[in-house]
Amino acid sequence: MTPRLTPIDTAYFTQERTGDFDVIGAPVQRSDARSHVTGRTAFFEDMTPPGLTHVKIHRSTRHHARINGVDVSAALQVPGVLRVITHEDVPNNWYVVLRLIGVGPDDEPVLAEDRVLYRGEPIVAVVAETEEAAREGAAKVVVDYTDLPAVLDVEEALAEGAPIIKQAGTNHFVYEGHHCRRVRFGDVERGFAEADRIIEGRYDSSPIEHAPTEPTGCVVVPQGDGRLRIHSDTQAAFFTLDNTALILGVPPTGLRVVGGTVGGGFGGKVDVIVEPLACLAALLTGRPAKYVYSRAEEMQVSSTRAAERIFIKDGVMDDGRIVARQVRLYVDAGAYSRHSPYGVTKAAAHMPGPYTIPNVHVDCYCVYTNRTPSSAMRGFGVTIGDFALESHMDRVARELGMDPLRLRLLNAYRDGDMKAHRKIASGTALVEVIQRAADLVGHRLPPEYRAMSSTERAEG
């Protein structure tokens, strides 16, 4: 049947288009807006297939501990409990999401084996007829622990003598044999020696939870041809498809991911966490399975924006020119890698900010601690770095007694400048953006700053 258009729909699809550019600068309705506001959008929780089972997790109550034994006998006695899944039931229990783009090693278990590395880590999954039965069964699982020393601070994790929490033997990700992502340009020590003054600052951020309206989850439905249909709120359908297939040991053609509607993601739903266990539950019971975080789980165990600690040291001339910048940046990945190694690479690529500085030394560390794993969140690897860099520029301006906009104009990239990553700057526009921003807020700039341009740098 051909869908019938409403008068508003007809007006939208038949409105006159002028020229090639009919979107920029014009109000355009989102393609999914009408279905959202009328309640016609189908989210994964709208799926209620016959025979639906529910998956709930027994999670670690320790930050770092050895697992001596797991007793699931009481859970299996709960009426309605169908199955308890342990790591032994997972065909390929170890993975890392970014292995699809060559980042390794596999460092995270789907279900914990002999140790837990953070409070809330999944140990066993309980599959039951009802959500209540699954929750009760998960609560009745008994885990025998031996507590191990926990490390909860990035600098403490890297200190000599710190307890090593990772199987790889270090508390940091190793980048092509190096302990961190590095940027080296010029001679930073010579730059500091030549500077009129040294200005230093420390900048810290805390983990930030995405807090989506819709919690992370999925519904998996076995198909008559043996495939599994995964209805998920994932932001990364192919990451979900391929990683789940690798974990289950099945070809990707054995899975079908149905996504496209996300009730708030912001980066947090690119991790592949719920789908493998829901698929496994469906395979082991032959019935549809639903695994969705409670609000408490969403707040406690879903990935956050990483906490960061950033130290910036600038060598500055009295006229405002920054001649040397050293940055030491720590990203708290938590217990497992997820997307953090990539985020740290982005952070290193973003330093030393949009400024031409002749001497640059940057060390960016991806650090493991016994905290909830962090991952992607809206510009991760860049956002907190920007906060630190621009806060530091304001600090430099205050110590020099200089207008902060003039400081930025003086040091901003121009076309043709060499960046610290040995790339020629082109298409720069920071100078003009600052000038326009000054206009908009009524901030007066002297004529010589008003005359500056991104296409050339004034002599002298």
Side-chain angles (χ1 to χ4, degrees):
M1 178 182 294
T2 303
R4 180 175 296 175
L5 296 177
T6 67
I8 296 178
D9 289 328
T10 303
Y12 172 72
F13 285 111
T14 60
Q15 62 181 294
E16 182 179 354
R17 308 294 188 182
T18 57
D20 294 331
F21 300 101
D22 54 3
V23 173
I24 297 174
V28 177
Q29 181 175 296
R30 281 179 57 112
S31 61
D32 56 3
R34 184 170 300 280
S35 62
H36 285 353
V37 300
T38 59
R40 290 182 289 179
T41 299
F43 293 89
F44 85 87
E45 290 229 53
D46 293 317
M47 290 294 301
T48 54
L52 181 65
T53 65
H54 297 265
V55 178
K56 291 297 177 183
I57 306 299
H58 182 87
R59 299 183 178 279
S60 166
T61 59
R62 307 293 204 273
H63 288 289
H64 190 203
R66 183 178 298 109
I67 297 176
N68 301 318
V70 179
D71 184 355
V72 302
S73 58
L76 290 169
Q77 297 304 311
V78 174
V81 168
L82 302 171
R83 183 80 187 230
V84 174
I85 301 173
T86 72
H87 69 86
E88 294 178 345
D89 298 305
V90 185
N92 298 299
N93 195 44
W94 288 85
Y95 77 112
V96 65
V97 174
L98 290 178
R99 60 183 167 179
L100 300 177
I101 58 173
V103 176
D106 295 341
D107 77 330
E108 182 168 7
V110 176
L111 292 172
E113 295 184 1
D114 61 334
R115 287 195 309 162
V116 289
L117 297 190
Y118 68 97
R119 185 182 178 92
E121 182 164 358
I123 299 175
V124 299
V126 176
V127 189
E129 298 276 4
T130 66
E131 190 173 1
E132 292 74 16
R135 187 180 297 112
E136 182 181 351
K140 288 185 178 294
V141 173
V142 178
V143 180
D144 179 24
Y145 297 103
T146 295
D147 288 324
L148 299 171
V151 58
L152 302 173
D153 179 86
V154 287
E155 290 186 90
E156 291 177 7
L158 298 182
E160 185 176 353
I164 301 299
I165 67 173
K166 300 296 286 183
Q167 289 183 334
T170 68
N171 287 342
H172 60 268
F173 185 83
V174 178
Y175 292 94
E176 291 85 45
H178 298 292
H179 60 290
C180 62
R181 275 289 186 217
R182 308 175 304 157
V183 179
R184 303 288 188 266
F185 185 68
D187 184 339
V188 75
E189 292 302 329
R190 184 185 65 194
F192 288 144
E194 294 173 351
D196 291 324
R197 63 180 76 191
I198 304 297
I199 301 173
E200 300 184 63
R202 168 179 165 169
Y203 307 90
D204 291 86
S205 69
S206 298
I208 301 173
E209 164 56 32
H210 304 81
T213 301
E214 174 197 43
T216 303
C218 68
V219 172
V220 176
V221 185
Q223 303 298 290
D225 60 0
R227 300 174 76 199
L228 295 178
R229 189 175 71 230
I230 306 168
H231 296 265
S232 174
D233 57 7
T234 178
Q235 293 176 254
F238 287 98
F239 266 20
T240 295
L241 176 69
D242 292 339
N243 274 294
T244 302
L246 289 169
I247 289 168
L248 297 179
V250 301
T253 53
L255 307 176
R256 177 190 173 201
V257 175
V258 180
T261 52
V262 182
F266 324 115
K269 290 176 179 173
V270 299
D271 294 330
V272 184
I273 304 296
V274 295
E275 294 87 0
L277 283 174
C279 285
L280 196 55
L283 287 171
L284 293 174
T285 64
R287 293 169 56 175
K290 179 179 181 179
Y291 175 15
V292 57
Y293 283 173
S294 67
R295 180 56 59 184
E297 286 176 307
E298 187 69 51
M299 297 300 290
Q300 181 192 0
V301 301
S302 68
S303 295
T304 64
R305 181 191 294 282
E308 297 186 29
R309 182 173 300 159
I310 305 173
F311 296 89
I312 303 176
K313 177 181 178 181
D314 280 354
V316 185
M317 308 306 291
D318 287 335
D319 63 3
R321 287 177 294 119
I322 302 173
V323 296
R325 172 165 285 176
Q326 184 172 34
V327 178
R328 192 167 79 256
L329 182 151
Y330 302 95
V331 169
D332 189 344
Y336 298 112
S337 292
R338 298 192 184 173
H339 286 78
S340 292
Y342 170 59
V344 173
T345 295
K346 290 170 61 182
H350 201 61
M351 299 294 160
Y355 306 107
T356 297
I357 301 173
N359 303 289
V360 175
H361 184 288
V362 177
D363 285 340
C364 296
Y365 297 81
C366 178
V367 186
Y368 299 109
T369 64
N370 294 117
R371 299 173 67 171
T372 302
S374 60
S375 193
M377 185 180 185
R378 289 293 171 97
F380 69 111
V382 172
T383 308
I384 303 303
D386 272 343
F387 148 75
L389 289 168
E390 297 309 318
S391 295
H392 195 72
M393 291 295 284
D394 287 343
R395 173 175 288 183
V396 171
R398 285 194 301 271
E399 294 207 20
L400 292 176
M402 187 175 184
D403 181 332
L405 292 189
R406 298 185 203 178
L407 176 69
R408 289 171 169 84
L409 286 167
L410 183 66
N411 290 284
Y413 278 152
R414 267 67 165 183
D415 285 359
D417 284 354
M418 178 67 76
K419 298 182 180 182
H421 304 87
R422 292 174 172 78
K423 300 291 185 182
I424 300 297
S426 62
T428 61
L430 180 58
V431 170
E432 289 74 17
V433 168
I434 293 174
Q435 291 166 340
R436 180 59 178 145
D439 290 341
L440 291 172
V441 298
H443 187 98
R444 297 184 62 182
L445 292 172
E448 61 269 28
Y449 286 88
R450 177 66 56 193
M452 288 180 173
S453 166
S454 289
T455 60
E456 60 184 21
R457 184 178 294 279
E459 297 296 329

mmCIF file of all heavy atoms in Angstrom, residues 244-267:
data_model
loop_
_atom_site.group_PDB
_atom_site.id
_atom_site.type_symbol
_atom_site.label_atom_id
_atom_site.label_comp_id
_atom_site.label_asym_id
_atom_site.label_seq_id
_atom_site.Cartn_x
_atom_site.Cartn_y
_atom_site.Cartn_z
ATOM 1 N N THR A 244 30.237 -9.200 17.714
ATOM 2 C CA THR A 244 29.381 -10.265 18.241
ATOM 3 C C THR A 244 29.642 -11.577 17.510
ATOM 4 O O THR A 244 29.708 -12.645 18.132
ATOM 5 C CB THR A 244 27.903 -9.867 18.122
ATOM 6 O OG1 THR A 244 27.674 -8.645 18.836
ATOM 7 C CG2 THR A 244 26.999 -10.946 18.696
ATOM 8 N N ALA A 245 29.815 -11.504 16.197
ATOM 9 C CA ALA A 245 30.116 -12.722 15.425
ATOM 10 C C ALA A 245 31.430 -13.340 15.872
ATOM 11 O O ALA A 245 31.539 -14.569 16.025
ATOM 12 C CB ALA A 245 30.155 -12.385 13.935
ATOM 13 N N LEU A 246 32.444 -12.518 16.114
ATOM 14 C CA LEU A 246 33.741 -13.039 16.563
ATOM 15 C C LEU A 246 33.629 -13.681 17.941
ATOM 16 O O LEU A 246 34.231 -14.724 18.216
ATOM 17 C CB LEU A 246 34.771 -11.908 16.576
ATOM 18 C CG LEU A 246 35.222 -11.400 15.206
ATOM 19 C CD1 LEU A 246 36.030 -10.108 15.360
ATOM 20 C CD2 LEU A 246 36.057 -12.450 14.474
ATOM 21 N N ILE A 247 32.879 -13.056 18.831
ATOM 22 C CA ILE A 247 32.713 -13.601 20.181
ATOM 23 C C ILE A 247 31.967 -14.930 20.143
ATOM 24 O O ILE A 247 32.316 -15.885 20.842
ATOM 25 C CB ILE A 247 31.979 -12.581 21.076
ATOM 26 C CG1 ILE A 247 32.904 -11.385 21.381
ATOM 27 C CG2 ILE A 247 31.505 -13.229 22.375
ATOM 28 C CD1 ILE A 247 32.202 -10.201 21.992
ATOM 29 N N LEU A 248 30.938 -15.006 19.309
ATOM 30 C CA LEU A 248 30.130 -16.225 19.227
ATOM 31 C C LEU A 248 30.786 -17.302 18.369
ATOM 32 O O LEU A 248 30.359 -18.466 18.394
ATOM 33 C CB LEU A 248 28.752 -15.902 18.664
ATOM 34 C CG LEU A 248 27.869 -14.960 19.491
ATOM 35 C CD1 LEU A 248 26.552 -14.718 18.776
ATOM 36 C CD2 LEU A 248 27.620 -15.529 20.883
ATOM 37 N N GLY A 249 31.794 -16.912 17.577
ATOM 38 C CA GLY A 249 32.430 -17.859 16.688
ATOM 39 C C GLY A 249 31.553 -18.268 15.526
ATOM 40 O O GLY A 249 31.595 -19.419 15.069
ATOM 41 N N VAL A 250 30.739 -17.322 15.045
ATOM 42 C CA VAL A 250 29.864 -17.591 13.901
ATOM 43 C C VAL A 250 30.196 -16.617 12.791
ATOM 44 O O VAL A 250 30.757 -15.537 13.043
ATOM 45 C CB VAL A 250 28.374 -17.452 14.291
ATOM 46 C CG1 VAL A 250 28.018 -18.409 15.421
ATOM 47 C CG2 VAL A 250 28.029 -16.010 14.682
ATOM 48 N N PRO A 251 29.868 -16.917 11.538
ATOM 49 C CA PRO A 251 30.114 -15.955 10.465
ATOM 50 C C PRO A 251 29.187 -14.747 10.611
ATOM 51 O O PRO A 251 28.061 -14.886 11.116
ATOM 52 C CB PRO A 251 29.793 -16.746 9.193
ATOM 53 C CG PRO A 251 28.899 -17.849 9.642
ATOM 54 C CD PRO A 251 29.321 -18.190 11.035
ATOM 55 N N PRO A 252 29.620 -13.569 10.188
ATOM 56 C CA PRO A 252 28.763 -12.382 10.283
ATOM 57 C C PRO A 252 27.422 -12.557 9.579
ATOM 58 O O PRO A 252 26.428 -11.939 9.971
ATOM 59 C CB PRO A 252 29.609 -11.288 9.623
ATOM 60 C CG PRO A 252 31.014 -11.751 9.774
ATOM 61 C CD PRO A 252 30.964 -13.245 9.675
ATOM 62 N N THR A 253 27.386 -13.410 8.560
ATOM 63 C CA THR A 253 26.130 -13.642 7.852
ATOM 64 C C THR A 253 25.098 -14.356 8.717
ATOM 65 O O THR A 253 23.920 -14.411 8.364
ATOM 66 C CB THR A 253 26.386 -14.480 6.586
ATOM 67 O OG1 THR A 253 27.121 -15.668 6.950
ATOM 68 C CG2 THR A 253 27.183 -13.683 5.567
ATOM 69 N N GLY A 254 25.528 -14.898 9.854
ATOM 70 C CA GLY A 254 24.598 -15.551 10.766
ATOM 71 C C GLY A 254 23.856 -14.589 11.668
ATOM 72 O O GLY A 254 22.993 -15.006 12.457
ATOM 73 N N LEU A 255 24.193 -13.309 11.566
ATOM 74 C CA LEU A 255 23.568 -12.282 12.400
ATOM 75 C C LEU A 255 22.980 -11.185 11.526
ATOM 76 O O LEU A 255 23.491 -10.885 10.453
ATOM 77 C CB LEU A 255 24.590 -11.665 13.359
ATOM 78 C CG LEU A 255 25.408 -12.607 14.240
ATOM 79 C CD1 LEU A 255 26.434 -11.811 15.031
ATOM 80 C CD2 LEU A 255 24.510 -13.397 15.182
ATOM 81 N N ARG A 256 21.932 -10.571 12.013
ATOM 82 C CA ARG A 256 21.372 -9.391 11.360
ATOM 83 C C ARG A 256 21.104 -8.357 12.438
ATOM 84 O O ARG A 256 20.395 -8.639 13.414
ATOM 85 C CB ARG A 256 20.075 -9.723 10.630
ATOM 86 C CG ARG A 256 19.411 -8.509 9.987
ATOM 87 C CD ARG A 256 18.019 -8.831 9.478
ATOM 88 N NE ARG A 256 17.333 -7.629 9.027
ATOM 89 C CZ ARG A 256 16.020 -7.514 8.917
ATOM 90 N NH1 ARG A 256 15.237 -8.540 9.238
ATOM 91 N NH2 ARG A 256 15.470 -6.392 8.499
ATOM 92 N N VAL A 257 21.669 -7.185 12.306
ATOM 93 C CA VAL A 257 21.484 -6.118 13.284
ATOM 94 C C VAL A 257 20.445 -5.141 12.755
ATOM 95 O O VAL A 257 20.584 -4.603 11.646
ATOM 96 C CB VAL A 257 22.803 -5.383 13.581
ATOM 97 C CG1 VAL A 257 22.557 -4.195 14.512
ATOM 98 C CG2 VAL A 257 23.814 -6.339 14.207
ATOM 99 N N VAL A 258 19.419 -4.907 13.542
ATOM 100 C CA VAL A 258 18.393 -3.920 13.213
ATOM 101 C C VAL A 258 18.552 -2.780 14.209
ATOM 102 O O VAL A 258 18.345 -2.951 15.408
ATOM 103 C CB VAL A 258 16.983 -4.522 13.314
ATOM 104 C CG1 VAL A 258 15.933 -3.465 12.964
ATOM 105 C CG2 VAL A 258 16.856 -5.733 12.403
ATOM 106 N N GLY A 259 18.982 -1.629 13.727
ATOM 107 C CA GLY A 259 19.193 -0.477 14.602
ATOM 108 C C GLY A 259 18.606 0.764 13.977
ATOM 109 O O GLY A 259 17.564 0.722 13.337
ATOM 110 N N GLY A 260 19.311 1.863 14.166
ATOM 111 C CA GLY A 260 18.881 3.106 13.537
ATOM 112 C C GLY A 260 18.127 4.043 14.448
ATOM 113 O O GLY A 260 18.020 5.232 14.169
ATOM 114 N N THR A 261 17.567 3.534 15.529
ATOM 115 C CA THR A 261 16.898 4.417 16.488
ATOM 116 C C THR A 261 17.604 4.282 17.832
ATOM 117 O O THR A 261 17.713 3.181 18.377
ATOM 118 C CB THR A 261 15.405 4.070 16.642
ATOM 119 O OG1 THR A 261 15.270 2.670 16.921
ATOM 120 C CG2 THR A 261 14.656 4.390 15.368
ATOM 121 N N VAL A 262 18.086 5.396 18.332
ATOM 122 C CA VAL A 262 18.856 5.426 19.579
ATOM 123 C C VAL A 262 18.249 6.505 20.465
ATOM 124 O O VAL A 262 18.239 7.677 20.100
ATOM 125 C CB VAL A 262 20.342 5.735 19.307
ATOM 126 C CG1 VAL A 262 21.131 5.717 20.604
ATOM 127 C CG2 VAL A 262 20.921 4.754 18.308
ATOM 128 N N GLY A 263 17.771 6.092 21.623
ATOM 129 C CA GLY A 263 17.162 7.054 22.528
ATOM 130 C C GLY A 263 18.189 7.776 23.375
ATOM 131 O O GLY A 263 18.115 7.803 24.604
ATOM 132 N N GLY A 264 19.157 8.376 22.699
ATOM 133 C CA GLY A 264 20.257 9.054 23.371
ATOM 134 C C GLY A 264 21.470 8.158 23.421
ATOM 135 O O GLY A 264 21.428 7.078 24.016
ATOM 136 N N GLY A 265 22.528 8.584 22.774
ATOM 137 C CA GLY A 265 23.735 7.759 22.745
ATOM 138 C C GLY A 265 24.967 8.539 23.134
ATOM 139 O O GLY A 265 25.658 8.207 24.084
ATOM 140 N N PHE A 266 25.263 9.587 22.352
ATOM 141 C CA PHE A 266 26.364 10.507 22.651
ATOM 142 C C PHE A 266 27.732 9.843 22.631
ATOM 143 O O PHE A 266 28.700 10.396 23.134
ATOM 144 C CB PHE A 266 26.132 11.206 23.998
ATOM 145 C CG PHE A 266 24.693 11.532 24.279
ATOM 146 C CD1 PHE A 266 24.016 10.932 25.310
ATOM 147 C CD2 PHE A 266 24.004 12.415 23.459
ATOM 148 C CE1 PHE A 266 22.672 11.210 25.539
ATOM 149 C CE2 PHE A 266 22.668 12.701 23.686
ATOM 150 C CZ PHE A 266 22.005 12.099 24.732
ATOM 151 N N GLY A 267 27.820 8.646 22.042
ATOM 152 C CA GLY A 267 29.078 7.914 22.005
ATOM 153 C C GLY A 267 29.075 6.683 22.882
ATOM 154 O O GLY A 267 29.801 5.719 22.631
#
